[in-house]
Amino acid sequence: METIELGGTGQLVSRVAMGGSPIGGHGWGDVDDAEAVAAVRRAFDLGVNFFDTADVYGFGYSEQVLSRALGRRRREVVIATKFGVRWSDNAKPWKDISPGYLRKALDASLRRLRIDCIPLYYVHWPDGKTPIVDTMAELVRCRQQGKIRWIGLSNFSAEQVREATSVTPLQALQVQFSLADRLKAAELLPLARELGATLVTWGSLAEGLLTGKYDARSTFAGDDRRRRYDNFRGEKFAENLRLVEGLRRVARALGRTPAQVALRWLLDTPDVGCALFGAKRPAQVEENVQAAGWRLSAAEYQALKMQETPIERKSA
Ligand SMILES: NC(=O)c1ccc[n+]([C@@H]2O[C@H](COP(=O)([O-])OP(=O)(O)OC[C@H]3O[C@@H](n4cnc5c(N)ncnc54)[C@H](OP(=O)(O)O)[C@@H]3O)[C@@H](O)[C@H]2O)c1
């Protein structure tokens, strides 16, 4: 497995890392628990040692399934989890990164994950009111208490990230980045290099779209988030399907699958550390981990880079 040092820590993590949003079983259509557990175990067996989750995925369930699937191995791998999105009893989410909520959320994640210390703890999203320096100061206290080892920010702007590092260095930055969604990563890639933090991409497969299995006739079950995502609607969806055609051509020539090429494109992008993939089944894991261990040629990389969708170009 291809590895990289996590943000100057000396800890090696797999560059292809497993995301735990789908295994949380909420908002992804049908998810079978036994298959989800088998998927996590297959990832571990294939050399993945970096597992990403968040307390809000499945409202706590993703952390529980991940812990159950890993069993004793949960202490051997690097588990990253996040806090900052609360939820009500009727599953209505809202953002809160206040120090008081952080302490509660952290203890709850430790309980669900059944570990004493969270290797990598992210602030999930800005909440629009808590100064990030206050959250960071509380994270430092949690680290001093031995409850977390490393700190990351997810979905923060470059300016907010800089402000946060006035309190303590960061080991990871997480951002939405894929062939279909490139805008948010643009300012964070050079910043990650400057700060020595590992940049981790989410939505790397644009929620499954870049696997090439969806087309204009695809439909999604009631609670499936893809019913409301722009990538699957209107003009952006049509553009994405054209992008997938280009991806398919490159993949065919390489004897790879579109998912593998889409993930590889991220890994070959300068300053990308790790690409997360979500998966519900072992077969998806088996396919995705084969994005590791090879490279696109400069011409192949460039050909895919040029396929930026017009909507992305317009908003840049
Ligand atoms: N920081 C954040 O705010 C944030 C936000 C979102 C996600 N994340 C993290 O990033 C991870 C990855 O993002 P994601 O899970 O949202 O989306 P993703 O990796 O882009 O897509 C995951 C979905 O694509 C489909 N898929 C994956 N591999 C496949 C394959 N080889 N063949 C066919 N279908 C395949 C599966 O769904 P179907 O089978 O139903 O198509 C899977 O659930 C998450 O799990 C989470 O850990 C973080």
Side-chain angles (χ1 to χ4, degrees), residues 8-81:
T9 62
Q11 170 72 53
L12 292 181
V13 288
S14 50
R15 291 197 72 201
V16 178
M18 184 165 178
S21 175
I23 63 169
H26 176 85
W28 283 96
D30 284 342
V31 183
D32 179 90
D33 250 12
E35 291 270 74
V37 165
V40 172
R41 291 184 179 158
R42 192 78 188 113
F44 179 87
D45 290 344
L46 292 171
V48 173
N49 76 340
F50 193 16
F51 291 86
D52 184 86
T53 182
D55 55 1
V56 72
Y57 298 162
F59 310 110
Y61 196 60
S62 169
E63 290 182 331
Q64 288 174 333
V65 174
L66 182 65
S67 174
R68 174 152 50 91
L70 288 168
R72 267 179 293 151
R73 293 168 291 195
R74 69 190 183 277
R75 296 198 181 86
E76 293 165 32
V77 300
V78 177
I79 294 179
T81 193

Side-chain angles (χ1 to χ4, degrees), residues 130-302:
T130 308
I132 187 59
V133 289
D134 292 356
T135 313
M136 292 296 290
E138 190 59 32
L139 285 167
V140 169
R141 278 189 282 277
C142 296
R143 190 173 58 197
Q144 283 160 352
Q145 291 166 1
K147 292 183 175 183
I148 62 173
R149 193 169 310 139
W150 300 305
I151 299 172
L153 290 186
S154 157
N155 304 308
F156 282 75
S157 70
E159 197 186 332
Q160 292 166 324
V161 169
R162 279 190 193 285
E163 212 186 324
T165 54
S166 68
V167 178
T168 191
L170 293 163
Q171 283 69 53
L173 295 177
Q174 193 171 129
V175 64
Q176 183 182 29
F177 189 29
S178 75
L179 278 164
D181 294 289
R182 308 183 192 191
L183 293 176
K184 298 195 177 103
E187 62 168 8
L188 290 182
L189 285 163
L191 184 59
R193 179 184 19 175
E194 182 192 319
L195 299 176
T198 297
L199 188 128
V200 178
T201 67
W202 68 258
S204 315
L205 296 170
E207 292 80 31
L209 201 148
L210 298 175
T211 65
K213 70 179 180 183
Y214 294 116
D215 62 27
R217 286 160 308 200
S218 302
T219 53
F220 295 98
D223 83 322
D224 199 310
R225 64 194 62 207
R226 291 168 288 198
R227 285 171 75 120
R228 41 172 222 277
Y229 280 4
D230 283 349
N231 267 333
F232 289 84
R233 286 160 31 148
E235 203 189 333
K236 182 92 200 284
F237 185 41
E239 287 182 357
N240 282 337
L241 293 179
R242 284 193 286 279
L243 191 157
V244 168
E245 273 320 300
L247 184 59
R248 219 190 285 281
R249 274 195 297 280
V250 176
R252 210 178 293 126
L254 285 166
R256 304 275 177 183
T257 67
Q260 289 160 357
V261 174
L263 291 169
R264 189 68 239 175
W265 186 84
L266 290 171
L267 297 173
D268 285 344
T269 298
D271 304 318
V272 167
C274 302
L276 292 172
F277 66 83
K280 298 168 164 177
R281 288 180 271 285
Q284 294 180 342
V285 171
E286 284 159 19
E287 179 178 341
N288 298 343
V289 296
Q290 287 181 60
W294 56 283
R295 286 186 74 92
L296 290 164
S297 71
E300 289 150 359
Y301 179 85
Q302 207 51 31

